[in-house]
Amino acid sequence: MSTQDLVPSPVGPVDVEQAEAALVERYPRLVRIAYLVLPPAMPRTRRVLTAHALVQRALPRRRVPGPAVPEARRPEDAVDPGYAYVRGEVLRQALVAGLPLRRFALPRRAQLPPLLPQVWGLRLFPRAGGADELALDQLLAGLSAPARAAYVLRGLERQGDAEVLRVLAAAGAADPRAALEELAALEEDEEAPGPAGRVAEQAGPGRVAEQAGPGRASVSPAAPSPAAATRLGGAALLESPEFDPCALQARPGDLLRRRQHGRAVLVGAVALLVCGALLGLPGDGWGRNGAAAPSYARNPAAEAALDPANVRRVAPAVWPGAVRRDFSVWPARGELAGDAPLLRRALAVWARPGGAVESSATPGTPVGPPMGPPQLLFAGRVDAARVVLFHDGLRIVRYAEPVEGTAGAALDFARADGAEGPGASAVVVTRAAGNVRYLTAPWVTGTAVRDLLMPGKEPWALRRDARGVTDAVPSPALAKECARWNTLQVADGSGGRLLGDLGELVPARLLWGPPGAPVDATGREARAVWARTACQLTTVLGQGVGSVRAWRFARQSLPEGAGRAAWVCTRAETWRGTGSRVLAQFLPPDPKVPAALAARAQDAPACGVREPRVLAGALWQAPAGGWYVLAAGGPDVASVRVEGGVTARAEGPVLAAEAEAGARAELSAALDDGRRLPALG
């Protein structure tokens, strides 16, 4: 990673959260763009719903990477990268929707009527305009889809020809130049004024610029150049209510046809219910095994694994004399441990979850049936559910059903291989109403709750019942805001452990210290750093994380006497070994200010046992207003170099160099043994 990545660019990487924020903020404009580019020959009601559907489908499913070598920044690039990406996706789908259907070719998704959103019983269309709007609509009807897109980019988005060509090419237009040439004939007698510019917002003094993606600092958008203004006379009308698919009028559809369709649907639903009841009557399928699907095989070994009489139960006297302290020595607990029908349903649903079962699994966890009789950890009533916990050596499996009936059964899988000692100290029993309950190991002597965001506050005791189940405690994995971050602090014979709920069945162990020698994050220094970095744990929720370790790898005196800052590396390790995530964070001198994310990496060895070294940088503004490129590496870094928009070199593990706002540069470091160390990213 380099400090170039700290400046947002339309061609840079885009996170899902960043794209979502841009889509929600600019939703009316994006829908207007889609509505104008879609074929005018399309019925207005379908055109409105299709425009909304295209925008709602423009959200990426995962982080969109940027190019390996960023291009030179242009004046027209001063646009939020999330909005630039979503706008490009909307244009791409709108261009596809305008393609004609071919007889022997499968239609693409954008060419079909949208599944969502749907409006039943009403016809929606924008407000009617005047003669000027009608003339503009007729003009758009005579243009090709790429030409309409170019017209909209010029008139509505105020883009110049060079930017229009680039956006159309990125959206998949076959010949962007032909689209501009098609508009050239319309520009002879028409001319429109350019938009007024906007003043760029600046980051506050003494703050690291807010990240726009992994390892990025934001740069405020600049005003578009006059050359980017539209040159078509009707372009100003694009903002009129005639082309606003978010301000709609409603009229009823065909009422007689609706009544006929309603009767047909009712008759079909009754027939479907009768057929379903007849299919469920014979055999021993649904009643005996609850929410499990019907049996699909008759294998003696598989049936033996699903027999509740064969479930392994460990006696309470085993764990004190065991060589290892892991889930294999947990005794079977709970008042329903002898309930054979409950265990039979749990095992059957595990092997054959029906369609009504809510099933989940952390990444990398197999969801198949047990290979042999599993070990029973717990079976009992918790809150309003009957809960069963199994362990098969690789996975923790949780089955839950309502106290009354089996409708709404849930099945959860999580890997727990290699869990020993502190890693096998607790398992999540239930999550409900924003709270979580844990089942603790038999060797746990005490439990408490500690809020990571309040390092000076002592933990408060958490009561457990005779089964080892704790009282309910608010879970950060279920919270919408990072107002508090409750962790489970357990005590055993060797000290205190800190466990965090990250959306897994097994809470993650929170550690502190350099790679190879971490300790539990219960000390004063560890709590002070975790209080400023805990909110970043939301980036690893539900990823199968087994442990998270934070390490302050550098301290740095800031320019202009602004104080002494710190650099922290946070590494989340998964149970499966792959998928680890590394975050480099900058801690300003003020202890009340949360850490700023400087860089992040996926599946990187940095800050780990294999590669304990790390190098990161950030663009920082001093309280007096000056901008600086800051960089820091581990203790064995001999020198740090920055090149590109800023050129500087410093002996030792830290660097501070004067820079301009929005500067972009490459970071590298030399180790004591002469080897080169790239920046995290």
Side-chain angles (χ1 to χ4, degrees), residues 254-264:
D254 191 331
L255 300 180
L256 293 178
R257 180 177 298 179
R258 186 204 307 178
R259 183 178 300 173
Q260 296 170 355
H261 289 177
R263 293 171 181 171

Side-chain angles (χ1 to χ4, degrees), residues 553-556 566-567 614-618 630-634 637 640 653-655 667:
F553 64 89
R555 288 182 179 273
Q556 184 176 19
W567 294 82
V614 62
L615 175 66
L630 304 179
V637 171
V640 181
V654 296
L655 174 144
L667 287 178

Side-chain angles (χ1 to χ4, degrees), residues 3 5 51 149 183 206 275 429 465 516 524 542 614 621 671:
T3 51
D5 295 334
L183 295 182
C275 293
V429 180
D465 60 21
R524 181 177 180 181
V614 62
Q621 187 179 19
L671 302 176

Side-chain angles (χ1 to χ4, degrees), residues 66-398:
V69 179
E71 301 176 359
R73 188 175 180 87
R74 297 177 295 273
E76 59 266 32
D77 282 343
V79 63
D80 175 68
Y83 174 70
Y85 172 82
V86 175
R87 183 185 63 186
E89 285 297 298
V90 170
L91 288 174
R92 181 183 63 80
Q93 296 183 77
L95 293 177
V96 172
L99 297 177
L101 292 173
R102 300 185 181 276
R103 179 176 299 178
F104 299 106
L106 291 175
R108 300 172 68 175
R109 184 180 181 185
Q111 295 176 279
L112 299 174
L115 296 177
L116 291 175
Q118 289 289 348
V119 179
W120 288 29
L122 293 175
R123 299 180 60 193
L124 303 178
F125 45 90
R127 301 172 183 174
D132 293 336
E133 284 85 355
L134 178 61
L136 179 57
D137 194 39
Q138 294 174 349
L139 181 147
L140 293 175
L143 296 176
S144 63
R148 288 195 299 272
Y151 189 98
V152 172
L153 289 173
R154 278 182 170 182
L156 194 62
E157 293 295 277
R158 309 299 199 264
Q159 299 291 341
D161 288 351
E163 181 67 1
V164 170
L165 289 174
R166 188 182 68 81
V167 174
L168 288 180
D175 192 352
R177 294 191 178 277
L180 290 182
E181 293 173 359
E182 187 176 352
L183 295 182
L186 303 175
E187 299 179 359
E188 298 177 357
D189 300 323
E190 297 178 345
E191 183 177 4
R198 294 188 301 168
V199 179
E201 298 179 358
Q202 299 295 334
R207 294 186 176 219
V208 175
E210 181 182 355
Q211 304 299 324
R216 291 184 168 269
S218 65
V219 173
S220 302
S225 63
T230 178
R231 291 179 294 276
L232 298 177
L237 298 174
L238 296 176
E239 298 280 0
S240 68
E242 169 78 13
F243 306 105
D244 184 6
C246 288
L248 303 172
Q249 298 184 14
R251 294 293 185 273
D254 191 331
L255 300 180
L256 293 178
R257 180 177 298 179
R258 186 204 307 178
R259 183 178 300 173
Q260 296 170 355
H261 289 177
R263 293 171 181 171
V265 170
L266 179 60
V267 172
V270 173
L272 184 62
L273 289 175
V274 172
C275 293
L278 294 176
L279 290 174
L281 286 177
D284 59 351
W286 295 101
R288 189 164 178 256
N289 294 328
S295 299
Y296 53 84
R298 293 292 183 181
N299 183 279
E303 291 184 347
L306 303 181
D307 188 349
N310 296 331
V311 170
R312 292 187 294 111
R313 292 174 171 84
V314 177
V318 171
W319 73 265
V323 177
R324 297 180 56 185
R325 288 190 173 182
D326 55 14
F327 290 116
S328 66
V329 298
W330 274 36
R333 289 174 285 180
E335 71 277 11
L336 300 180
D339 189 338
L342 172 63
L343 298 183
R344 177 178 289 107
R345 290 194 300 272
L347 292 169
V349 172
W350 180 356
R352 308 182 308 276
V357 176
E358 296 183 6
S359 183
S360 68
T362 56
T365 304
V367 296
M371 295 178 291
Q375 175 190 353
L376 177 64
L377 302 182
F378 177 84
R381 293 184 181 89
V382 182
D383 295 332
R386 289 186 290 258
V387 179
V388 182
L389 292 173
F390 293 111
H391 178 242
D392 67 352
L394 173 69
R395 302 167 291 180
I396 296 291
V397 180
R398 174 184 175 272

Side-chain angles (χ1 to χ4, degrees), residues 276-641:
L278 294 176
L279 290 174
L281 286 177
D284 59 351
W286 295 101
R288 189 164 178 256
N289 294 328
S295 299
Y296 53 84
R298 293 292 183 181
N299 183 279
E303 291 184 347
L306 303 181
D307 188 349
N310 296 331
V311 170
R312 292 187 294 111
R313 292 174 171 84
V314 177
V318 171
W319 73 265
V323 177
R324 297 180 56 185
R325 288 190 173 182
D326 55 14
F327 290 116
S328 66
V329 298
W330 274 36
R333 289 174 285 180
E335 71 277 11
L336 300 180
D339 189 338
L342 172 63
L343 298 183
R344 177 178 289 107
R345 290 194 300 272
L347 292 169
V349 172
W350 180 356
R352 308 182 308 276
V357 176
E358 296 183 6
S359 183
S360 68
T362 56
T365 304
V367 296
M371 295 178 291
Q375 175 190 353
L376 177 64
L377 302 182
F378 177 84
R381 293 184 181 89
V382 182
D383 295 332
R386 289 186 290 258
V387 179
V388 182
L389 292 173
F390 293 111
H391 178 242
D392 67 352
L394 173 69
R395 302 167 291 180
I396 296 291
V397 180
R398 174 184 175 272
Y399 170 80
E401 66 180 24
V403 173
E404 301 295 336
T406 60
L411 187 66
D412 303 304
F413 296 86
R415 285 186 64 165
D417 47 320
E420 184 176 2
S425 296
V427 173
V428 171
V429 180
T430 61
R431 287 192 184 91
N435 298 323
V436 61
R437 293 180 186 266
Y438 300 95
L439 175 68
T440 57
W443 55 81
V444 171
T445 59
T447 55
V449 179
R450 180 182 288 278
D451 187 353
L452 285 183
L453 302 185
M454 302 180 67
K457 182 179 180 181
E458 291 297 322
W460 60 94
L462 183 64
R463 192 184 67 85
R464 294 183 295 166
D465 60 21
R467 306 169 300 174
V469 177
T470 69
D471 285 349
V473 59
S475 170
L478 303 176
K480 296 182 179 180
E481 298 180 354
C482 187
R484 57 182 174 179
W485 199 280
N486 292 330
T487 58
L488 176 66
Q489 184 167 313
V490 299
D492 53 28
S494 58
R497 317 293 183 186
L498 205 60
L499 307 175
D501 181 17
L502 299 182
E504 317 290 341
L505 288 179
V506 182
R509 188 181 179 189
L510 304 183
L511 302 170
W512 168 259
V519 296
D520 288 278
T522 55
R524 181 177 180 181
E525 182 183 17
R527 298 198 310 269
V529 173
W530 270 108
R532 305 174 67 182
T533 61
C535 290
Q536 297 292 349
L537 290 176
T538 56
T539 62
V540 295
L541 292 178
Q543 299 301 312
V545 173
S547 65
V548 186
R549 177 181 49 79
W551 173 40
R552 188 184 59 220
F553 64 89
R555 288 182 179 273
Q556 184 176 19
S557 296
L558 298 178
E560 301 184 14
R564 192 165 175 80
W567 294 82
V568 173
C569 176
T570 303
R571 183 177 180 88
E573 299 282 3
T574 65
W575 290 105
R576 62 190 183 276
T578 59
S580 60
R581 179 166 295 189
V582 184
L583 306 178
Q585 301 171 83
F586 176 82
L587 274 66
D590 188 352
K592 297 181 180 180
V593 177
L597 181 61
R600 76 174 93 183
Q602 187 87 11
D603 281 322
C607 199
V609 177
R610 288 173 47 203
E611 178 54 78
R613 305 166 185 84
V614 62
L615 175 66
L619 193 63
W620 174 79
Q621 187 179 19
W627 286 90
Y628 294 86
V629 170
L630 304 179
D636 54 352
V637 171
S639 63
V640 181
R641 179 186 297 274

